[in-house]
Amino acid sequence: MRESISSSARLLLTIRHLATGENYTQLAYGFRISKAAISIIVPETINALYWVLKDEFFKVPRTADEWKIIANDFEKKWNFPFCLGALDGKHIAIKNKADYGSLYYNYRGFHSVIFTAVVDANYNFLHINIASNERANDTAIFTESFCDEIPKNIYDFPPDDYLEGSKKKVPFVFVADDAFQLSPRVLKPYEKRLSNANKIFNNRLNRARSVAENAIGMLANKFQIIQKELDLPIDRVEKLVLASCALHNFILQRDGLDSQLIESWREEVSLTDLQRCQSNRSRDEGRMVRNTFAEYFNKQNDTVQ
């Protein structure tokens, strides 16, 4: 019998696929392995990578103390207190199939899935979600999918507390851009008639929120398959992205941050932004929480520009 394809060859083949975006035909020429074998090896190895790495390198915190560690990092590194994570999202292009209909057709005129992520202060992915454009015509769906479990206390977020010098309790929050819906747990920038106080809040929020944008950019720069039009079933697209995020966290925690990637990815990565959230269902509680943070930043004689 012929020797089986070694585990190291399988791993190298899969990493090459993820890093370069080469298709199975190109990989077959490079590795002298049949396309049929590669079509089995790559999905199997992607699944194995995720299951091996997920418990240590890709997990959502489950205790209040673990969340507070993240919040402390955001305050120290990005000058934003009570922050549990930054949210961002992009469109990942997929090849249209006959049974999709308009389910994955987006406002930019191509077929895609919506990739949304929660990122900590150190560019690690904590949680991701893959949704169709029809089920997520704005990212309020993602906000609900992650945050509707707050009352059930599944994630054990820290209890509301007072900002330093403030007389109002506020919840621990996530920071996001205009693609997301404002809520008591998700803060986004002020949009109209910006006062100086509002501009200061926006500056603080945008600095913290950029962590998620940079993390996704670095992910797509390392694993260029994410920038390709994926001709895969949706469940395999999700597994591919999950494995890529787990590998990103593994590399980051093992080798440290390559500071050059934080800006250089902008010249090499092309991903489509999410549509601005058009929903008018922002809650009054969300506006009150945002205003409390804005008041807190202004009392500090903030000099962030």
Coordinates of all heavy atoms in Angstrom, one line a residue, residues 6-65:
S6 N 1.0 12.4 5.3 CA 1.3 12.7 6.7 C 0.5 13.9 7.3 O 0.0 14.7 6.6 CB 2.8 13.0 6.9 OG 3.1 14.2 6.2
S7 N 0.4 13.9 8.6 CA -0.3 15.0 9.3 C 0.4 16.3 9.0 O -0.3 17.4 8.9 CB -0.4 14.7 10.8 OG 0.9 14.5 11.3
S8 N 1.7 16.3 9.0 CA 2.4 17.6 8.7 C 2.1 18.1 7.3 O 2.0 19.3 7.1 CB 3.9 17.4 8.9 OG 4.4 16.4 8.0
A9 N 2.0 17.2 6.3 CA 1.7 17.6 5.0 C 0.3 18.1 4.9 O 0.0 19.1 4.2 CB 1.9 16.4 4.0
R10 N -0.6 17.5 5.6 CA -2.0 18.0 5.7 C -2.1 19.4 6.3 O -2.8 20.2 5.8 CB -2.9 17.0 6.5 CG -3.1 15.6 5.9 CD -3.6 14.6 6.8 NE -3.8 13.3 6.2 CZ -5.0 12.8 5.8 NH1 -6.1 13.6 5.9 NH2 -5.0 11.7 5.2
L11 N -1.3 19.6 7.4 CA -1.4 20.9 8.0 C -0.8 21.9 7.1 O -1.3 23.0 7.0 CB -0.6 20.8 9.3 CG -0.5 22.1 10.1 CD1 -1.9 22.6 10.5 CD2 0.4 21.9 11.4
L12 N 0.4 21.6 6.5 CA 1.0 22.6 5.6 C 0.1 23.0 4.4 O 0.0 24.1 4.0 CB 2.3 22.0 5.1 CG 3.2 22.9 4.2 CD1 3.6 24.2 4.9 CD2 4.4 22.2 3.7
L13 N -0.5 22.0 3.9 CA -1.4 22.2 2.7 C -2.6 23.1 3.1 O -2.9 24.0 2.4 CB -2.0 20.8 2.3 CG -3.1 20.8 1.2 CD1 -2.5 21.2 -0.1 CD2 -3.7 19.4 1.2
T14 N -3.2 22.9 4.3 CA -4.3 23.7 4.8 C -3.9 25.1 5.1 O -4.6 26.1 4.7 CB -4.9 23.0 6.0 OG1 -5.3 21.7 5.7 CG2 -6.2 23.8 6.4
I15 N -2.8 25.3 5.8 CA -2.3 26.6 6.1 C -2.0 27.4 4.8 O -2.3 28.6 4.7 CB -1.0 26.5 7.0 CG1 -1.3 25.9 8.3 CG2 -0.4 27.9 7.2 CD1 -2.3 26.7 9.2
R16 N -1.4 26.7 3.8 CA -1.1 27.3 2.5 C -2.4 27.8 1.9 O -2.5 28.9 1.3 CB -0.4 26.3 1.6 CG -0.1 26.9 0.2 CD 0.9 28.0 0.2 NE 1.3 28.4 -1.2 CZ 2.3 27.9 -1.9 NH1 3.1 27.0 -1.3 NH2 2.6 28.3 -3.1
H17 N -3.5 27.0 1.9 CA -4.8 27.3 1.4 C -5.3 28.6 2.1 O -5.8 29.5 1.4 CB -5.7 26.1 1.5 CG -7.1 26.4 1.1 ND1 -7.5 26.8 -0.2 CD2 -8.3 26.4 1.8 CE1 -8.8 26.9 -0.2 NE2 -9.3 26.7 1.0
L18 N -5.3 28.6 3.4 CA -5.8 29.7 4.1 C -5.0 31.0 3.9 O -5.5 32.1 3.8 CB -5.9 29.4 5.6 CG -6.8 28.2 6.1 CD1 -6.6 28.0 7.6 CD2 -8.2 28.6 5.8
A19 N -3.7 30.8 3.9 CA -2.8 32.0 3.9 C -2.8 32.7 2.5 O -2.7 33.9 2.4 CB -1.4 31.6 4.3
T20 N -2.8 31.9 1.4 CA -2.7 32.4 0.1 C -4.0 32.5 -0.7 O -4.1 33.2 -1.7 CB -1.7 31.6 -0.7 OG1 -2.3 30.3 -0.9 CG2 -0.4 31.5 0.0
G21 N -5.0 31.7 -0.3 CA -6.2 31.6 -1.0 C -6.2 30.8 -2.3 O -7.1 30.8 -3.1
E22 N -5.1 30.0 -2.5 CA -4.9 29.2 -3.6 C -6.1 28.1 -3.6 O -6.4 27.6 -2.6 CB -3.6 28.4 -3.6 CG -2.4 29.4 -3.9 CD -1.1 28.6 -3.9 OE1 -1.1 27.4 -3.7 OE2 0.0 29.3 -4.1
N23 N -6.6 27.8 -4.8 CA -7.7 26.9 -4.9 C -7.1 25.4 -4.9 O -5.9 25.2 -5.0 CB -8.6 27.1 -6.1 CG -7.8 27.1 -7.4 OD1 -6.9 26.3 -7.6 ND2 -8.2 27.9 -8.4
Y24 N -8.0 24.5 -4.9 CA -7.6 23.1 -4.8 C -6.7 22.6 -6.0 O -5.8 21.9 -5.9 CB -8.8 22.1 -4.7 CG -9.5 22.3 -3.4 CD1 -10.7 21.7 -3.2 CD2 -9.0 23.1 -2.3 CE1 -11.4 21.8 -2.0 CE2 -9.7 23.2 -1.1 CZ -10.9 22.6 -1.0 OH -11.6 22.7 0.2
T25 N -7.0 23.2 -7.2 CA -6.3 22.8 -8.4 C -4.8 23.3 -8.3 O -3.9 22.6 -8.6 CB -6.9 23.4 -9.7 OG1 -8.3 22.9 -9.8 CG2 -6.1 23.1 -10.9
Q26 N -4.7 24.6 -7.9 CA -3.3 25.1 -7.7 C -2.6 24.4 -6.6 O -1.4 24.1 -6.8 CB -3.5 26.6 -7.3 CG -4.0 27.5 -8.4 CD -4.4 28.9 -7.9 OE1 -5.0 29.1 -6.9 NE2 -4.0 29.9 -8.7
L27 N -3.2 24.0 -5.5 CA -2.6 23.2 -4.5 C -2.2 21.9 -5.0 O -1.1 21.3 -4.6 CB -3.5 23.1 -3.3 CG -3.8 24.4 -2.5 CD1 -4.9 24.2 -1.5 CD2 -2.6 24.9 -1.8
A28 N -3.0 21.2 -5.8 CA -2.7 19.9 -6.3 C -1.4 19.9 -7.1 O -0.5 19.0 -7.0 CB -3.8 19.4 -7.2
Y29 N -1.1 21.0 -7.9 CA 0.1 21.1 -8.7 C 1.3 21.3 -7.7 O 2.4 20.7 -7.9 CB 0.1 22.2 -9.7 CG -0.7 21.9 -10.9 CD1 -1.9 22.5 -11.2 CD2 -0.2 21.0 -11.8 CE1 -2.7 22.2 -12.3 CE2 -1.0 20.7 -13.0 CZ -2.2 21.3 -13.2 OH -2.9 21.0 -14.4
G30 N 1.1 22.1 -6.7 CA 2.2 22.5 -5.8 C 2.6 21.4 -4.9 O 3.8 21.2 -4.5
F31 N 1.6 20.6 -4.4 CA 1.9 19.5 -3.4 C 1.9 18.1 -4.0 O 2.2 17.1 -3.3 CB 0.9 19.6 -2.3 CG 1.1 20.7 -1.4 CD1 0.6 22.0 -1.7 CD2 1.8 20.6 -0.2 CE1 0.8 23.1 -0.8 CE2 2.0 21.6 0.7 CZ 1.5 22.9 0.4
R32 N 1.6 18.0 -5.3 CA 1.5 16.7 -6.0 C 0.6 15.7 -5.2 O 0.9 14.6 -5.0 CB 2.9 16.1 -6.1 CG 3.8 16.9 -7.0 CD 5.1 16.2 -7.3 NE 5.9 17.0 -8.2 CZ 7.1 16.7 -8.6 NH1 7.7 15.5 -8.2 NH2 7.8 17.4 -9.4
I33 N -0.5 16.3 -4.8 CA -1.6 15.5 -4.2 C -2.9 15.8 -5.0 O -3.1 16.9 -5.5 CB -1.8 16.0 -2.7 CG1 -0.6 15.8 -1.9 CG2 -3.0 15.3 -2.1 CD1 -0.7 16.4 -0.5
S34 N -3.6 14.7 -5.2 CA -4.8 14.9 -6.1 C -5.8 15.9 -5.5 O -5.9 16.1 -4.3 CB -5.5 13.5 -6.3 OG -6.2 13.1 -5.1
K35 N -6.5 16.5 -6.5 CA -7.5 17.5 -6.1 C -8.6 16.8 -5.2 O -9.1 17.4 -4.3 CB -8.2 18.1 -7.4 CG -9.2 19.1 -7.1 CD -9.7 19.7 -8.4 CE -10.8 20.7 -8.1 NZ -11.4 21.3 -9.4
A36 N -9.0 15.5 -5.6 CA -10.0 14.8 -4.8 C -9.5 14.6 -3.3 O -10.3 14.8 -2.4 CB -10.3 13.5 -5.5
A37 N -8.3 14.3 -3.2 CA -7.7 14.1 -1.8 C -7.7 15.4 -1.1 O -8.1 15.5 0.1 CB -6.3 13.5 -1.8
I38 N -7.3 16.5 -1.7 CA -7.2 17.8 -1.1 C -8.6 18.3 -0.7 O -8.8 18.9 0.4 CB -6.6 18.8 -2.1 CG1 -5.1 18.5 -2.3 CG2 -6.8 20.3 -1.5 CD1 -4.4 19.4 -3.3
S39 N -9.6 18.0 -1.5 CA -11.0 18.4 -1.1 C -11.5 17.7 0.2 O -12.5 18.2 0.8 CB -12.0 18.1 -2.3 OG -12.1 16.7 -2.5
I40 N -10.9 16.6 0.5 CA -11.2 15.9 1.8 C -10.3 16.4 2.9 O -10.7 16.7 4.1 CB -11.1 14.4 1.7 CG1 -12.1 13.9 0.6 CG2 -11.3 13.7 3.0 CD1 -11.9 12.4 0.3
I41 N -9.0 16.6 2.6 CA -8.0 16.9 3.6 C -8.3 18.3 4.2 O -8.2 18.5 5.4 CB -6.6 16.9 3.0 CG1 -6.2 15.4 2.8 CG2 -5.6 17.5 3.9 CD1 -4.9 15.3 1.9
V42 N -8.5 19.3 3.3 CA -8.6 20.7 3.8 C -9.8 20.9 4.8 O -9.6 21.4 5.9 CB -8.7 21.7 2.6 CG1 -9.1 23.1 3.1 CG2 -7.4 21.7 1.9
P43 N -11.0 20.4 4.5 CA -12.1 20.6 5.5 C -11.8 19.9 6.8 O -12.1 20.4 7.8 CB -13.3 20.0 4.7 CG -13.0 20.1 3.3 CD -11.5 19.9 3.2
E44 N -11.3 18.6 6.7 CA -11.0 17.9 7.9 C -10.0 18.6 8.7 O -10.1 18.7 10.0 CB -10.4 16.5 7.5 CG -11.5 15.5 7.0 CD -10.9 14.2 6.7 OE1 -9.7 14.0 6.6 OE2 -11.7 13.2 6.4
T45 N -8.9 19.1 8.1 CA -7.9 19.8 8.9 C -8.4 21.1 9.5 O -8.0 21.5 10.6 CB -6.6 20.1 8.0 OG1 -6.3 18.8 7.4 CG2 -5.5 20.6 8.8
I46 N -9.2 21.9 8.7 CA -9.8 23.1 9.2 C -10.6 22.8 10.5 O -10.5 23.5 11.5 CB -10.7 23.8 8.2 CG1 -9.7 24.5 7.1 CG2 -11.6 24.8 8.8 CD1 -10.5 25.1 6.0
N47 N -11.4 21.8 10.5 CA -12.2 21.4 11.6 C -11.3 21.0 12.8 O -11.5 21.4 13.9 CB -13.1 20.2 11.3 CG -14.3 20.6 10.4 OD1 -14.6 21.7 10.3 ND2 -14.9 19.6 9.8
A48 N -10.2 20.2 12.5 CA -9.3 19.8 13.6 C -8.6 21.0 14.2 O -8.5 21.1 15.4 CB -8.3 18.8 13.0
L49 N -8.2 22.0 13.4 CA -7.5 23.2 13.9 C -8.4 23.9 14.9 O -8.0 24.3 16.0 CB -7.1 24.1 12.7 CG -5.9 23.7 11.9 CD1 -5.8 24.6 10.7 CD2 -4.7 23.9 12.8
Y50 N -9.7 24.1 14.5 CA -10.6 24.8 15.3 C -10.8 24.1 16.7 O -10.8 24.7 17.7 CB -11.9 25.1 14.6 CG -13.0 25.7 15.5 CD1 -12.8 27.0 16.0 CD2 -14.1 25.0 15.9 CE1 -13.7 27.6 16.9 CE2 -15.0 25.6 16.8 CZ -14.8 26.8 17.2 OH -15.8 27.4 18.1
W51 N -11.1 22.8 16.6 CA -11.4 22.1 17.8 C -10.2 21.9 18.8 O -10.4 21.9 20.0 CB -11.9 20.7 17.5 CG -13.4 20.7 17.0 CD1 -13.8 20.7 15.7 CD2 -14.5 21.0 17.8 NE1 -15.2 20.8 15.6 CE2 -15.6 21.0 16.9 CE3 -14.7 21.1 19.1 CZ2 -16.9 21.2 17.4 CZ3 -16.0 21.3 19.6 CH2 -17.1 21.4 18.7
V52 N -9.0 21.9 18.2 CA -7.8 21.8 19.0 C -7.5 23.2 19.7 O -7.1 23.2 20.9 CB -6.6 21.4 18.2 CG1 -5.3 21.6 19.0 CG2 -6.7 19.9 17.8
L53 N -7.8 24.3 19.0 CA -7.4 25.6 19.5 C -8.5 26.3 20.3 O -8.2 27.2 21.1 CB -7.0 26.5 18.3 CG -5.7 26.0 17.5 CD1 -5.5 27.0 16.3 CD2 -4.5 26.1 18.4
K54 N -9.7 26.0 20.1 CA -10.8 26.8 20.5 C -10.9 27.0 22.0 O -11.1 28.1 22.6 CB -12.2 26.3 20.0 CG -12.7 25.0 20.6 CD -14.0 24.6 20.0 CE -14.5 23.3 20.6 NZ -14.9 23.5 22.0
D55 N -10.6 25.9 22.8 CA -10.8 26.0 24.3 C -9.8 26.9 24.9 O -10.0 27.5 25.9 CB -10.7 24.6 24.9 CG -12.0 23.8 24.5 OD1 -13.0 24.4 24.2 OD2 -11.9 22.5 24.6
E56 N -8.6 26.9 24.3 CA -7.5 27.7 24.9 C -7.3 29.1 24.3 O -7.1 30.1 25.0 CB -6.2 27.0 24.9 CG -5.0 27.7 25.6 CD -3.7 26.9 25.6 OE1 -3.7 25.7 25.1 OE2 -2.7 27.4 26.0
F57 N -7.6 29.2 23.0 CA -7.2 30.4 22.3 C -8.4 31.2 21.7 O -8.3 32.3 21.1 CB -6.2 30.1 21.2 CG -4.9 29.6 21.6 CD1 -4.7 28.2 21.6 CD2 -4.0 30.4 22.2 CE1 -3.4 27.7 22.0 CE2 -2.7 30.0 22.6 CZ -2.5 28.6 22.5
F58 N -9.6 30.6 21.8 CA -10.8 31.3 21.2 C -12.0 31.0 22.0 O -12.8 30.1 21.7 CB -10.9 30.8 19.7 CG -12.0 31.5 18.9 CD1 -12.1 32.9 19.0 CD2 -12.8 30.8 18.1 CE1 -13.1 33.6 18.3 CE2 -13.8 31.5 17.3 CZ -13.9 32.8 17.5
K59 N -12.2 31.7 23.0 CA -13.4 31.5 23.9 C -13.9 32.8 24.4 O -13.2 33.7 24.7 CB -13.0 30.5 25.0 CG -11.8 31.1 25.9 CD -11.5 30.1 27.0 CE -10.4 30.6 27.9 NZ -10.0 29.7 29.0
V60 N -15.2 32.8 24.7 CA -15.9 33.9 25.3 C -15.7 33.8 26.8 O -16.0 32.7 27.3 CB -17.4 33.9 24.9 CG1 -18.1 35.1 25.5 CG2 -17.6 33.9 23.4
P61 N -15.3 34.9 27.4 CA -15.3 34.8 28.9 C -16.6 34.4 29.5 O -17.7 34.8 29.0 CB -14.9 36.3 29.3 CG -14.2 36.8 28.1 CD -14.9 36.2 26.9
R62 N -16.6 33.7 30.6 CA -17.8 33.2 31.2 C -18.0 33.7 32.6 O -19.0 33.3 33.3 CB -17.8 31.7 31.2 CG -18.0 31.1 29.7 CD -19.4 31.3 29.2 NE -19.5 30.8 27.8 CZ -20.6 30.7 27.2 NH1 -21.7 31.1 27.7 NH2 -20.6 30.3 25.9
T63 N -17.1 34.5 33.2 CA -17.2 34.9 34.5 C -17.0 36.5 34.6 O -16.4 37.0 33.7 CB -16.2 34.3 35.5 OG1 -14.9 34.7 35.2 CG2 -16.3 32.8 35.4
A64 N -17.6 37.1 35.6 CA -17.5 38.5 35.7 C -16.0 38.9 35.9 O -15.6 40.0 35.3 CB -18.3 39.0 36.9
D65 N -15.2 38.1 36.6 CA -13.8 38.5 36.7 C -13.0 38.4 35.4 O -12.2 39.3 35.2 CB -13.2 37.5 37.7 CG -13.6 37.7 39.2 OD1 -14.1 38.8 39.5 OD2 -13.5 36.8 40.0

